[in-house]
C-alpha cells in the first residue's frame, strides 16, 4: 500500500502520548533495576561471589540477568514498536488505533503533515533505545535509564507541545540535502 502524501497531524501526537507513558515506566523500571545498582549484590550466575560495594552490579550480572531486567524488557518492547513504526507505518499499532478508534470520534482534521518526518522520528527513537539496550547488554551502568529518559523527553515534548525533535532533525537534514527530496517549494 503506498504511503499517503499527507497525514492527520494529530495521529503522531496520539502515538507519542502512548509511547511517552511506556517510556516513563521503562525509565522508572531501569532506575530501580540492575542498571543503577551498586554494592554487595550476590549473583548466583556470577559464581555466588558478592560484588564489592564500590562496583556497579551490572557488569557482574550474567547475560540472562541483564536481559530479564524489567526496564530492559519494556524498553525492548518500545524499540520493537519503533521498528514497526519505521518499517510498516500504516500498520503500526498506535497509528492504527488512532485511525480506527480515535479519529472517527474527532472533528475532521484541519492540519495535515508530510509522513516522512514522523517516520524519521520513529527511526531516531529506535536508534536511541537500541543504543541503550546494547550498552546495557554490554554491561554499561546507567545506559538503559539514560536512553529511556532521552526517548521519554522527546516523546513527551511531541505529545504535550507538538514539538517533534526527530521531525525537526529531519527538516534540518533535508535542508542540508542529506535526506528526502527537495521540492520546488523548498528551493
Amino acid at each position: 500500500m503506498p504511503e499517503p502524501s499527507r497525514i492527520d497531524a494529530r495521529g503522531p501526537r496520539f502515538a507519542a502520548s502512548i509511547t511517552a507513558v511506556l517510556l516513563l515506566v521503562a525509565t522508572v523500571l531501569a532506575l530501580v533495576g540492575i542498571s543503577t545498582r551498586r554494592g554487595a549484590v550476590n549473583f548466583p550466575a556470577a559464581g555466588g561471589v558478592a560484588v564489592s560495594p564500590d562496583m556497579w552490579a551490572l557488569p557482574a550480572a550474567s547475560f540472562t540477568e541483564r536481559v530479564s531486567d524489567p526496564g530492559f524488557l519494556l524498553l525492548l518492547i518500545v524499540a520493537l514498536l519503533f521498528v514497526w513504526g519505521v518499517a510498516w507505518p500504516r500498520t503500526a499499532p498506535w497509528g492504527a488505533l488512532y485511525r480506527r478508534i480515535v479519529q472517527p470520534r474527532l472533528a475532521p482534521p484541519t492540519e495535515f503533515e508530510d509522513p516522512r518526518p514522523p517516520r524519521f522520528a520513529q527511526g531516531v527513537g529506535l536508534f536511541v533505545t537500541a543504543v541503550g539496550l546494547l550498552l546495557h547488554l554490554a554491561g554499561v551502568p546507567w545506559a538503559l535509564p539514560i536512553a529511556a529518559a532521552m526517548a521519554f523527553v522527546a516523546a513527551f515534548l511531541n505529545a504535550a507541545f507538538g514539538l517533534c525533535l526527530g521531525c525537526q532533525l529531519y527538516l534540518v537534514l533535508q535542508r542540508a540535502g542529506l535526506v528526502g527530496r527537495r521540492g520546488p517549494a523548498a528551493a
Side-chain angles (χ1 to χ4, degrees), residues 7-186:
I7 59 172
D8 182 351
R10 300 171 295 183
R13 286 186 74 178
F14 173 79
S17 300
I18 297 172
T19 303
V21 170
L22 292 174
L23 287 166
L24 179 61
V25 173
T27 301
V28 170
L29 290 174
L31 284 170
V32 299
I34 192 172
S35 184
T36 60
R37 193 174 301 148
R38 287 185 80 133
V41 178
N42 190 6
F43 292 106
V49 178
V51 176
S52 165
D54 298 333
M55 293 177 57
W56 294 103
L58 184 63
S62 70
F63 181 79
T64 304
E65 290 163 332
R66 293 175 191 177
V67 169
S68 63
D69 182 66
F72 176 86
L73 293 172
L74 184 54
L75 195 60
L76 178 63
I77 290 168
V78 172
L80 292 173
L81 289 168
F82 281 141
V83 168
W84 195 345
V86 170
W88 306 281
R90 293 292 299 163
T91 63
W94 310 141
L97 180 66
Y98 175 78
R99 284 189 307 279
R100 289 191 182 98
I101 307 291
V102 177
Q103 190 178 32
R105 291 171 170 72
L106 300 175
T110 58
E111 185 182 345
F112 294 92
E113 65 182 344
D114 182 349
R116 294 176 298 174
R119 187 174 185 181
F120 181 84
Q122 291 281 306
V124 172
L126 172 61
F127 176 77
V128 170
T129 56
V131 166
L133 291 167
L134 292 173
L135 289 175
H136 177 81
L137 290 178
V140 177
W142 285 90
L144 192 67
I146 289 171
M150 289 172 57
F152 164 73
V153 167
F156 176 78
L157 288 173
N158 190 1
F161 305 109
L163 175 60
C164 176
L165 297 178
C167 300
Q168 295 302 315
L169 178 60
Y170 179 88
L171 296 174
V172 167
L173 294 174
Q174 185 180 42
R175 282 187 213 111
L178 299 174
V179 297
R181 289 186 220 135
R182 295 180 67 137

